[in-house]
Amino acid sequence: MSLVKLVIKGISYSHTQNGAYALILNEVDGDRKLPIVIGAFEAQSIAIAIEKELKPPRPLTHDLFKNFADRFDIVINQVIIHKLVDGVFFSSIICERDGIEEIIDARTSDAISLAIRFKAPIFTYKNILDKAGIYLNDGVVDGNEEEDDDIDDVLEEIFTNIEPSKPVEKVNEYAHFSLKELNDLLANAVANEDYEKAARLRDEISRKQE
């Protein structure tokens, strides 16, 4: 089976399901996207690894794993999303130490969190992408607002299969803050290790800077 390389597009969260997040992966040589539902902690860990401005005062679990691996000369060469069963993705971490390669089973969210920190490529098999990949805007990927709306619509469809929790209103709580205020709030959120709030603040700062 042929492998397809993926890159991270970003993380989206449900406006109707509390604590529901999705990691969006892009096909490198194609137009498909692979949405993977992940937990809040994993979403925070991935967001922090992507956003270099977010520097936690103490290492998160995945940072600790990276520090531990570095100390003992363990390198992650790649991550492969190798199986999809009943909507659940299964992944393997391909690592190496002293020239000996090992394959370790891992949750996909954990595997990707580590892949980012090790700058390791992420792959899946073509049959998995054929089954779970989605096209947006008739295959045209341009990063515009219409595409983001399409992603939101698709994800809300995916999130409906998650056990419902208390609905929340689709309100941008930070829209009225200035950039300075947002940056101050961001620094405070990181200092307090509230990474979920920090990720939302980073999103709002990015929107205002566009």
Side-chain angles (χ1 to χ4, degrees):
M1 291 183 288
S2 59
L3 286 172
V4 179
K5 189 174 183 179
L6 303 169
V7 293
I8 296 171
K9 174 179 173 61
I11 298 172
S12 182
Y13 64 93
S14 173
H15 298 292
T16 59
Q17 300 283 343
N18 276 329
Y21 291 82
L23 174 67
I24 310 298
L25 301 174
N26 270 9
E27 179 183 17
V28 169
D29 295 319
D31 298 322
R32 288 174 293 184
K33 290 176 172 57
L34 189 66
I36 300 175
V37 175
I38 59 177
F41 171 79
E42 292 78 11
Q44 293 169 25
S45 180
I46 291 171
I48 285 171
I50 294 172
E51 297 286 351
K52 301 303 181 185
E53 295 90 345
L54 300 181
K55 297 186 184 298
R58 296 179 296 174
L60 301 182
T61 302
H62 297 108
D63 297 319
L64 177 60
F65 187 100
K66 174 67 164 59
N67 295 339
F68 183 90
D70 287 345
R71 182 65 60 90
F72 291 96
D73 298 321
I74 300 169
V75 177
I76 291 179
N77 291 327
Q78 61 182 333
V79 162
I80 300 176
I81 303 170
H82 63 84
K83 187 166 65 173
L84 174 61
V85 179
D86 296 330
V88 178
F89 293 90
F90 294 76
S91 292
S92 295
I93 297 173
I94 316 300
C95 58
E96 183 180 334
R97 181 173 184 265
D98 293 336
I100 300 173
E101 189 173 86
E102 298 284 351
I103 301 175
I104 299 175
D105 181 49
R107 295 189 308 166
T108 296
S109 54
D110 290 329
I112 291 176
S113 291
L114 291 173
I116 300 168
R117 288 165 169 83
F118 281 86
K119 297 181 172 56
I122 303 165
F123 296 93
T124 192
Y125 289 108
K126 182 179 181 298
N127 64 317
I128 292 177
L129 197 56
D130 289 341
K131 182 178 180 180
I134 58 174
Y135 286 98
L136 299 173
N137 285 347
D138 298 324
V140 177
V141 180
D142 52 16
N144 60 24
E145 187 175 337
E146 182 181 349
E147 181 190 20
D148 291 339
D149 289 341
D150 288 344
I151 291 176
D152 286 342
D153 291 342
V154 171
L155 291 179
E156 286 306 322
E157 216 173 292
I158 295 170
F159 287 136
T160 56
N161 294 321
I162 302 173
E163 184 179 348
S165 56
K166 183 180 177 181
V168 294
E169 294 182 5
K170 187 175 180 178
V171 176
N172 185 348
E173 57 188 311
Y174 302 116
H176 63 286
F177 286 96
S178 67
L179 272 174
K180 183 182 183 307
E181 290 171 328
L182 289 169
N183 280 298
D184 289 343
L185 287 170
L186 175 61
N188 187 61
V190 172
N192 291 323
E193 301 185 15
D194 187 348
Y195 301 120
E196 182 175 356
K197 181 178 179 180
R200 294 199 303 272
L201 286 163
R202 279 300 308 161
D203 288 343
E204 182 60 27
I205 289 170
S206 297
R207 277 192 289 269
K208 285 185 180 294
Q209 289 177 332
E210 289 176 355

